[in-house]
Amino acid sequence: MVNDTHRPDRVSWVESAQDTGTDFPIQNLPFGVYRRSGHDDAARVGVAIGSEIVDVGACHFAGLLHGVAAAAAEHCTASSLNGLMQLGPLYWSALRDQLVALLDADGAAYRADRRIGERILVPMREAEMQVPAAIGDYTDFYASVFHATNVGRMFRPDNPLLPNYKHVPIGYHGRTSSIVVSGTAVRRPRGQTQEDPATTPSFGPSRLLDYEAEIGFFIGPGNHLGEPLRLDEAESSIFGCCVVNDWSARDIQKWEYQPLGPFLAKNFATSVSPWIVALEALEPFRAPAFARPAGDPEPLPYLRSADDAARGAVAITLEVALRSEQMRAANMPAMRLSRASFTDMYWTMAQMVTHHASNGCNLRPGDLLASGTVSGENKDSRGCLLELTWRGTEPLTLPTGEARRFLQDGDEVVMRAYCEREGARRIGFGECTGVVLPAVAPE
């Protein structure tokens, strides 16, 4: 629940944490993994505040943390967040509480040592961010009823939603080897497609490359094989959230998806933002679960609880912008394409986790689950080009006059997410970006 770490009047001695519009005030403190630019040192766990990174391992070795928080920080001396993730909410909350106290301008640590920043801070400009966890498994869901309905209408106008959609959280298993951190360029995939059903398929670069704007969430302690999770305990297994771009080759996907679903159209690249916003930091932005229209079925008992219905959603705003190669050459800003709310998802994060483990599937620390495309009811809230351009029939026009049906080589996709409401300090997730590179030339 909301606690003292969320107080909007808290001020940090890190001056940039007070900057207008910063994603990382003292009320946020997301976790990530970084390496010092130009150094051969191992990657380290850090916490973002303003334009700085707090080295959690340095705080531990300096004796600035104690008790349960110190035990948690000891796991932050590794080069991934998996050790911290496995500990659970008691440890996460204790560490967050003491880091807030450590960074508070009125805190005892700063009053005792005004130069404490020299021991524990690293400027973000000197850091190379890494994928924040050793991701063992990756599952992508399909939790937006608006996205599912739009896509269904393109291919099944008379029956856009399949019968199971409103009963079961739909998902598929992705591939972890091609998950990359924000800023990593993504190469256009080659694959097998069929433009005309009357012709034989061909192999070559995807012509219908797309993005999908999603929210990801990392698993903490998880569950043992064969032991399902109850809905009301599912959130204790969620460490925090990030932004995910599930790059998709729509022409490859169309040809290959039957009968077993996504495969090569999805596993060539998935981008994640480097900072994981702790679930506790999102507490001020809790919201009721999606209000199902009259006539929709109630979730089955294992996916239904009063608490999840009352506060299972989080009011995260997710924006997508695009900047072409011409726009970058002219030093033009990215053009915003859409803005959607995570509250529009048909299934909550807890429901997705609960269903995933309902058959006894064991979720492990560092596993990544993603929501599926976050789309709303209006056109300007559609989270992919497939929807925005309606399968390419309604092209977008960029400030340079260029038309876009799907992504072209050189295009940069920029995703941002943030939470804001009256009475709370705005917090953000940072960016998730990627530039499209041309396909590898055939031999």
Side-chain angles (χ1 to χ4, degrees), residues 131-321:
V131 175
I135 303 171
D137 284 297
Y138 164 50
T139 300
D140 196 15
F141 282 89
Y142 194 51
S144 167
V145 70
F146 298 112
H147 173 66
T149 300
N150 284 335
V151 174
R153 282 178 178 151
M154 295 176 198
F155 300 98
R156 300 180 303 276
D158 298 328
N159 187 28
L161 283 184
L162 294 175
N164 64 348
Y165 186 85
K166 293 185 177 181
H167 293 277
V168 57
I170 302 298
Y172 70 93
H173 294 297
R175 185 165 181 85
T176 63
S177 63
S178 52
I179 294 176
V180 297
V181 73
S182 171
T184 304
V186 171
R187 191 165 294 280
R188 181 178 298 273
R190 302 173 73 210
Q192 192 175 127
T193 61
Q194 186 189 47
E195 286 193 69
D196 185 345
T199 64
T200 58
S202 60
F203 184 85
S206 169
R207 292 178 294 276
L208 307 182
L209 184 61
D210 202 357
Y211 61 80
E212 293 194 24
E214 309 189 10
I215 295 296
F217 40 106
F218 281 89
I219 295 297
N223 59 300
H224 296 294
L225 181 65
E227 299 180 6
L229 288 167
R230 293 185 300 104
L231 181 61
D232 284 338
E233 66 185 11
E235 284 197 356
S236 65
S237 285
I238 299 176
F239 176 73
C241 300
C242 68
V243 180
V244 172
N245 183 351
D246 177 33
W247 303 88
S248 300
R250 300 301 188 184
D251 43 358
I252 298 173
Q253 182 179 5
K254 178 184 175 184
W255 175 237
E256 75 175 6
Y257 85 101
Q258 294 189 31
L260 295 180
F263 184 36
L264 300 183
K266 296 278 191 176
N267 68 8
F268 61 94
T270 302
S271 299
V272 297
S273 57
W275 297 108
I276 305 175
V277 177
L279 203 61
E280 186 177 23
L282 296 170
E283 283 297 324
F285 311 100
R286 287 290 190 167
F290 182 78
R292 298 188 171 207
D296 278 15
E298 285 289 320
L300 293 178
Y302 79 103
L303 293 175
R304 186 170 69 238
S305 80
D307 185 63
D308 189 61
R311 57 182 300 277
V314 183
I316 302 171
T317 299
L318 183 57
E319 296 183 347
V320 183

